[in-house]
Amino acid sequence: MSNLLYLIIAVALSLIGSLILWLRTRQPRSLESGIQQFSKGLRALAPDAEERAREQERDQRERRTG
């Protein structure tokens, strides 16, 4: 009986640990999380404001020396 109890405890702890890991790594499905993910993708594709300013300055210098 003690071997069976040990096995049941081990299986229960394993199931609890698996459930916790699954809950932590699952993808959020709310509308807000979808909007945030889309916005994050757009920011990754768009150049930074500072980078755009540097490009504009460089273009202006090239036009002046042109």
Side-chain angles (χ1 to χ4, degrees):
M1 185 66 183
S2 65
N3 289 340
L4 184 60
L5 183 61
Y6 176 75
L7 181 62
I8 290 171
I9 290 173
V11 169
L13 289 175
S14 176
L15 288 174
I16 291 170
S18 297
L19 181 65
I20 290 171
L21 287 175
W22 176 74
L23 287 173
R24 288 182 63 198
T25 59
R26 67 188 171 118
Q27 295 290 329
R29 296 181 179 215
S30 70
L31 180 63
E32 184 177 336
S33 67
I35 293 170
Q36 288 174 348
Q37 188 175 16
F38 181 74
S39 177
K40 183 179 177 183
L42 287 179
R43 283 192 308 268
L45 293 174
D48 294 329
E50 293 177 7
E51 184 177 330
R52 278 186 278 164
R54 277 183 267 157
E55 288 177 7
Q56 288 175 352
E57 288 175 10
R58 190 175 358 168
D59 290 343
Q60 288 174 357
R61 274 186 261 142
E62 288 176 359
R63 288 180 191 152
R64 289 179 200 156
T65 60

